[in-house]
Amino acid sequence: MEKEQKTRQRGIFEDYLIPFTARLSKISYLKALQETFCTIMPLIILLALIRMAGSLVLNPLGPVMMEDGLGLGTFLSGGLHDQAYRDSGLFRTLSVCTDYLNITDFIYYLVFAVILTGKLAHTWHVDKILPVLCTLTCYVLLLSLFNEGMENVSLFFQGRGFFLSLLIATVNVLAFRRFSKMSIMRTPLPLDLSPRLVYSMRHFIAISMTMCLSLVTVLSWILVEKFVGSLPAFLASHFSQSVAQNPLVAMFYEFFRRFFWWLGLNGSSLTFSWAEAFYVPAQYQNEMEGASFIFTMGFFDALSISLLGLAVSIWVFSFKKRLRSISAYSLPFLLFSINEPFLFALPIVLNPLFLIPYLLAPMVNVLIGYIAIDCGIVPVFSHTFGSTAPVLLEGFLATGDIMGAVLQLVWLSVDIVIYTPFVIIINMREQDERLTAEESNSPAGEEVRQS
């Protein structure tokens, strides 16, 4: 019976998930993406903390400054309230500071595109410096298109930044590799020039064509979205808000968001078109018009705590010292829903052993949240402070009720329960592998190998 159970376990992991993951791991493009995330991890953490400070502390309508919160804004403005406070110079100054902090999204995706360009160039055996210069130029010119404030820059790159990073980096590297090999693209040069100058000037036409092609590609995509129609607008015109508020649809949204992250892609950005079409407007209507939509951006931001359950489960139940140390190291970041260090350090990305619970836990949380809010136990998420707000505090602030924090605590408890069996399975697999290794090193095992 025990032998059959082990065979059944082997059938799930060794026969399906592990070979599937092994094939994905060999894709050079996914490797470059993982290396890019790991390289810029300190910047990811820093920018996430800056965004948190902007949304919680400096935001004039946030919990620190607003009269309904700590009321620091009223104190600093000399006791102004309501509309008088909104018309004050302090309110305008804080609004400008918050808008400029929104540039963190642009900085993040700019650095991501630059590093990814270098990684792809190395992977595909192309010179790094010149494609990177093309990427930098594309982003500078792209930024010049936005003349309506930093808030629009943030909104644009929050949903499209990752896709643009992939597009710009990939086009630049592939185009330069193609153009640099064409003899017609090499500029004739005079003799006795320095080798470094010869190399760069010889590729003058190739780099110019690469830059033009990259800009034309990006601008064409932006113009099509502006004049023909964006993907969020297309989705909003073909589906109703009631469809997006269906719990099954919300569960599928969360499934795809997490599955993209498991592949090493930014799932939040790649699924943002659906969120921008439905969950962002629902959040706005809850906040400004007193609507009662259950699934909003605030709801899914609060849902980002699910990996904290895995960290707790590993720290309590895992026998592996490496996993426990990574869990303890990542815990402070996970408390602020900064999941990237844990995703790539454990790793969860392309790890078949964590695929099922990583997808299952947030989907169960969606269902629990729907039931709790629909039954009136928890208020709707009528405020949003970003996904990096501290755990439990975010639930309280986003709903304006202590039951929002209780909901996050329930989510966390359920996640621990879901992840724990898989952590125990990892312990069992490690014990089996250790016993197998000991048997193979034993005298009897040596005799079997010799025979």
Side-chain angles (χ1 to χ4, degrees):
M1 184 69 180
E2 183 178 356
K3 186 176 181 181
E4 291 180 359
Q5 186 177 3
K6 288 185 178 180
T7 304
R8 197 159 48 245
Q9 290 178 357
R10 285 186 60 85
I12 294 174
F13 290 104
E14 276 77 2
D15 294 343
Y16 296 100
L17 289 179
I18 290 179
F20 172 69
T21 305
R23 288 193 294 269
L24 291 177
S25 301
K26 294 178 181 179
I27 300 176
S28 59
Y29 196 87
L30 292 179
K31 288 182 180 178
L33 284 172
Q34 292 181 43
E35 292 175 1
T36 301
F37 273 111
C38 293
T39 301
I40 67 171
M41 194 61 66
L43 181 66
I44 293 175
I45 297 172
L46 176 62
L47 293 179
L49 294 176
I50 291 175
R51 285 198 300 270
M52 182 193 68
S55 61
L56 293 180
V57 181
L58 295 179
N59 185 0
L61 297 177
V64 174
M65 294 294 173
M66 196 61 180
E67 186 177 2
D68 294 339
L70 296 179
L72 185 59
T74 299
F75 173 77
L76 294 176
S77 62
L80 298 179
H81 300 276
D82 300 329
Q83 191 59 40
Y85 167 64
R86 296 173 185 269
D87 294 334
S88 65
L90 175 66
F91 187 93
R92 289 192 295 271
T93 301
L94 291 176
S95 298
V96 171
C97 292
T98 305
D99 287 344
Y100 274 100
L101 286 180
N102 289 331
I103 198 66
T104 53
D105 288 311
F106 176 82
I107 294 173
Y108 166 64
Y109 289 116
L110 167 62
V111 175
F112 186 91
V114 169
I115 301 301
L116 178 60
T117 302
K119 298 294 183 181
L120 291 177
H122 176 75
T123 300
W124 294 334
H125 307 292
V126 182
D127 177 81
K128 296 181 181 179
I129 301 300
L130 297 181
V132 164
L133 290 176
C134 287
T135 297
L136 282 171
T137 304
C138 286
Y139 267 84
V140 171
L141 294 176
L142 190 60
L143 182 61
S144 66
L145 298 176
F146 296 90
N147 53 6
E148 300 176 359
M150 293 295 104
E151 184 177 3
N152 288 333
V153 175
S154 175
L155 290 175
F156 183 83
F157 281 94
Q158 183 181 6
R160 301 161 182 82
F162 185 73
F163 171 75
L164 285 178
S165 297
L166 299 184
L167 182 64
I168 292 174
T170 305
V171 169
N172 279 329
V173 175
L174 290 178
F176 181 75
R177 183 177 69 169
R178 177 64 176 173
F179 291 142
S180 62
K181 292 179 179 180
M182 299 172 61
S183 58
I184 194 174
M185 293 288 180
R186 295 183 180 179
T187 308
L189 297 173
L191 300 176
D192 299 330
L193 293 178
S194 65
R196 192 168 295 179
L197 183 60
V198 167
Y199 177 79
S200 61
M201 291 303 297
R202 180 175 294 168
H203 293 90
F204 172 76
I205 298 177
I207 205 68
S208 300
M209 294 295 295
T210 300
M211 193 176 302
C212 290
L213 180 61
S214 178
L215 285 173
V216 168
T217 302
V218 174
L219 292 177
S220 298
W221 183 78
I222 294 175
L223 291 175
V224 167
E225 186 178 54
K226 183 176 181 179
F227 294 105
V228 177
S230 63
L231 181 56
F234 174 82
L235 293 172
S237 64
H238 286 76
F239 299 94
S240 64
Q241 184 65 261
S242 60
V243 172
Q245 292 298 314
N246 186 297
L248 186 62
V249 174
M251 291 170 68
F252 272 107
Y253 164 76
E254 193 65 18
F255 171 87
F256 285 111
R257 188 160 74 115
R258 299 308 177 100
F259 183 70
F260 282 130
W261 271 116
W262 183 81
L263 290 174
L265 305 171
N266 190 324
S268 301
S269 182
L270 292 178
T271 57
F272 192 76
S273 293
W274 183 264
E276 188 176 7
F278 301 107
Y279 300 137
V280 172
Q283 181 71 53
Y284 178 82
Q285 292 181 51
N286 278 7
E287 185 171 352
M288 297 297 179
E289 302 174 11
S292 299
F293 290 110
I294 295 177
F295 299 119
T296 65
M297 282 307 299
F299 179 94
F300 290 105
D301 285 342
L303 201 65
S304 299
I305 69 168
S306 63
L307 276 182
L308 182 60
L310 174 58
V312 174
S313 180
I314 287 176
W315 193 80
V316 174
F317 296 102
S318 179
F319 297 157
K320 299 186 70 171
K321 184 179 294 185
R322 173 185 169 274
L323 295 183
R324 287 169 57 86
S325 63
I326 292 175
S327 174
Y329 171 80
S330 303
L331 186 62
F333 305 119
L334 292 171
L335 289 174
F336 293 97
S337 298
I338 304 175
N339 297 324
E340 287 87 347
F342 199 48
L343 276 169
F344 291 92
L346 193 60
I348 294 173
V349 173
L350 293 180
N351 188 336
L353 300 178
F354 289 120
L355 173 61
I356 294 175
Y358 181 64
L359 299 177
L360 179 63
M363 294 174 68
V364 173
N365 288 348
V366 168
L367 184 59
I368 292 174
Y370 172 79
I371 295 173
I373 297 175
D374 187 59
C375 293
I377 301 173
V378 179
V380 296
F381 285 76
S382 55
H383 304 282
T384 179
F385 299 99
S387 59
T388 55
V391 173
L392 303 185
L393 177 63
E394 180 181 12
F396 169 71
L397 294 175
T399 60
D401 192 285
I402 191 64
M403 292 306 297
V406 173
L407 177 61
Q408 282 197 301
L409 187 61
V410 171
W411 282 343
L412 179 60
S413 302
V414 171
D415 293 339
I416 293 173
V417 171
I418 291 175
Y419 276 113
T420 296
F422 291 88
V423 174
I424 294 174
I425 288 175
I426 292 174
N427 291 334
M428 295 171 58
R429 286 173 57 83
E430 183 184 7
Q431 290 177 348
D432 291 342
E433 291 173 359
R434 186 168 60 249
L435 290 175
T436 302
E438 290 175 357
E439 291 175 358
S440 63
N441 293 329
S442 65
E446 185 67 27
E447 291 178 3
V448 171
R449 285 196 300 273
Q450 290 177 357
S451 62

